[in-house]
Amino acid sequence: MVATVGTRTDSTSSAPARSSLRTRRRLGPGRPIRFGPTIGPLLLLTVWTAGSATGLLDERVLSAPWTVVTTTGELIESGRLQANLLTSVQRVALGLGFGVVLGTALALVSGLSRWGEAVIDGPVQIKRAIPALALMPLLILWLGIGEVMKVSTITLGVFVPIYIHTHNGLRGIDSRYVELAETVRLSRRAFIRRVVLPGALPGFLLGMRFAVTTGWLFLVVVEQINSTSGIGYMMELARTYGQTDIIIVGLVLYGLLGLLSDGAVRLIERRALSWRRTLAD
Amino acid sequence: MATHPGGLTTVAPAVRIAELTRSYDDRTILDSLDLEIRAGEFVALLGQSGSGKSTLLRALAGLDGEVAGTGLIDVPGAVSVVFQDSRLLPWLRVHDNVILGLTGPGAAEQGRESLAEVGLAGRERAWPNQLSGGEQQRVALARSLVREPELLLADEPFGALDALTRIRMHALLRSLCDRHRPAVLLVTHDVDEAIVLADRVLVLDGGRIAAEQLIDVDTPRNSADPRFAEIRAHLLGALGVTGEPREPREPRERSRD
């Protein structure tokens, strides 16, 4: 670039600018690649297939992709897959449902009144400091090993991110909007409906994304403890018999469920926060 | 010239403030201030930054609950406030912003009429961040006028707008006020804006009304009018802005404004 400028006979200000335009190096990552996100996973799948086909991957360590596919077919045919999937989805849905209601309600009470905050915020922060799974022994003693314990564990895990992020969103509402609400004499109800809830919505939805991930994580744990149904149970059973193909089917299922639920939350996010996106994209 | 003609006070005032005192952390912002505004009168309040303009306006709006102070404030029931920022809720469409807090079956229609009045008919479904700064401020005006206020408080409502938009907004505000006839208290730091819009201009200094000026310039008011220039010079003098250097003022702590 410097050399180009040097060879020029005229030294007007436009000359270096023009030459540098031609030779400017791009430092960013460059243009996006088509189907870029799929390349990595496809590569992984290719390596896996090649490894299994050449026999480099022992069937006992990792089943071949085609074995996994046929096993999936068999599991569907026998109905085992659907039954376990349904049980698992039900547990997460219940846990999420209770957790979201609990987290949102606590966040509202704690965000809208100083007394509420004084009473609620401390215990939630303490609960957050204790690794959630450390509570399991106590939960098992109190609630047994049935469905109630499983759903409760998921609920307790899920409500924390919902609470934290909704509360954060609530407290982050611009005080100027609160002042405005006072000048137009909004009632308490209208204030919550028109200002507080929409203002806290971005925070809530962020919490929701964490909550969904947490929900599946806790499901895996509770299903591998004294369970008699669910994807986790199916995988745990397969471990005892050394059936890596079924374990992989379970992993793929967990992955798909996680991706799907995250996508669903993102879709809701895009719809509900359309006022934010109008200029951005 | 700066005295209030006695004949005008026979009408019951819309706003009456007596011996209003406000202070932040032992600093007196308003010092036993007296002020009356007649119904339908447009009063502009000038003052250097830190003179307590906004404190006075916020006291009238009832937005200074946490500020220590004494005095009498008598304002009408229907008070609207326009802020320097439009303060539209970004998650409500324009029309919902206008009728925020209104109840009753006629609210939606009133909101549409009010938007049409500020020249934004057809933009009801827009999001606030799709509007320009001037348009947002017009929505804020529509929101304040749809409540048919007896007192309109405006805190530098055009301060953030560009000069051309500001001129257009002056004409709009004047015509809206002529139609709705609220008492108006406009806080501004723009002397020309005060003269163009107001019936009476007050200068706030040291927590008191330091000067008062009736605006008797013929409408439409033109800054080329000699009377306009005369009043402007007088007001600038009262604000301590003159061509020749002045005696340095007593150093005074700046207040929140």
Side-chain angles (χ1 to χ4, degrees), chain B residues 143-199:
Chain B
R143 178 180 62 200
S144 62
L145 290 170
V146 77
R147 283 144 234 277
E148 292 295 340
E150 291 164 82
L151 172 63
L152 178 65
L153 299 168
D155 191 0
E156 305 201 14
F158 313 129
L161 302 180
D162 64 90
L164 289 175
T165 311
R166 201 179 306 170
I167 292 170
R168 262 183 241 123
M169 292 294 285
H170 288 163
L172 176 69
L173 179 61
R174 199 58 242 204
S175 77
L176 287 171
C177 287
D178 287 346
R179 207 170 319 148
H180 295 268
R181 305 296 308 165
V184 183
L185 184 69
L186 170 79
V187 165
T188 178
H189 56 251
D190 181 341
V191 176
D192 283 27
E193 179 171 283
I195 304 173
V196 165
L197 290 171
D199 303 322

Side-chain angles (χ1 to χ4, degrees), chain B residues 122-251:
Chain B
R123 302 303 303 274
E124 288 86 355
R125 302 271 304 148
W127 296 111
N129 66 9
Q130 292 174 307
L131 303 181
S132 69
E135 286 172 326
Q136 291 181 9
Q137 206 52 300
R138 281 193 279 167
V139 176
L141 271 180
R143 178 180 62 200
S144 62
L145 290 170
V146 77
R147 283 144 234 277
E148 292 295 340
E150 291 164 82
L151 172 63
L152 178 65
L153 299 168
D155 191 0
E156 305 201 14
F158 313 129
L161 302 180
D162 64 90
L164 289 175
T165 311
R166 201 179 306 170
I167 292 170
R168 262 183 241 123
M169 292 294 285
H170 288 163
L172 176 69
L173 179 61
R174 199 58 242 204
S175 77
L176 287 171
C177 287
D178 287 346
R179 207 170 319 148
H180 295 268
R181 305 296 308 165
V184 183
L185 184 69
L186 170 79
V187 165
T188 178
H189 56 251
D190 181 341
V191 176
D192 283 27
E193 179 171 283
I195 304 173
V196 165
L197 290 171
D199 303 322
R200 184 155 59 105
V201 178
L202 306 173
V203 175
L204 195 63
D205 192 24
R208 291 164 173 271
I209 307 288
E212 186 172 26
Q213 173 73 56
L214 281 183
I215 307 298
D216 47 6
V217 182
D218 299 331
T219 49
R221 288 171 182 166
N222 186 335
S223 57
D225 189 321
R227 179 70 187 134
F228 194 112
E230 200 179 320
I231 290 176
R232 183 209 279 139
H234 173 73
L235 287 173
L236 283 173
L239 285 164
V241 185
T242 45
E244 67 246 37
R246 247 172 64 111
E247 289 285 303
R249 292 162 57 96
E250 282 278 300

Side-chain angles (χ1 to χ4, degrees), chain A residues 245-269:
Chain A
D245 49 346
I246 296 188
I247 294 177
I248 289 167
V249 173
L251 286 177
V252 170
L253 272 179
Y254 275 141
L256 285 177
L257 289 169
L259 279 178
L260 274 177
S261 42
D262 191 58
V265 177
R266 276 210 246 186
L267 190 73
I268 296 170
E269 209 167 22

Side-chain angles (χ1 to χ4, degrees), chain A residues 44-55 57 64-66:
Chain A
L44 211 60
L45 196 64
T46 315
V47 171
W48 180 20
T49 312
S52 298
T54 53
L57 272 175
W66 49 89

Side-chain angles (χ1 to χ4, degrees), chain A residues 211-225:
Chain A
V212 166
T213 319
T214 312
W216 292 114
L217 176 73
F218 279 53
L219 176 79
V220 176
V221 176
V222 295
E223 284 194 338
Q224 294 189 354
I225 297 172

Side-chain angles (χ1 to χ4, degrees), chain A residues 173 175-177 179-186 190 193-196 198-199 274-279, chain B residues 58 61-63 76-77 79 81 83 85 87-93 96 100-101 127 129-130 143 147:
Chain A
I173 294 175
S175 63
R176 295 174 313 138
Y177 296 145
E179 205 171 85
L180 171 79
E182 285 167 8
T183 65
V184 300
R185 302 189 170 178
L186 278 191
R193 205 165 66 86
R194 293 301 209 175
V195 181
V196 173
S274 56
W275 54 270
R276 275 218 306 207
R277 308 188 328 119
T278 40
L279 286 185
Chain B
R58 293 175 62 82
L63 289 175
V79 180
V81 187
F83 301 93
D85 57 307
R87 233 167 261 210
L88 303 176
L89 296 175
W91 48 79
L92 290 186
R93 292 179 192 274
D96 291 321
L100 182 70
W127 296 111
N129 66 9
Q130 292 174 307
R143 178 180 62 200
R147 283 144 234 277

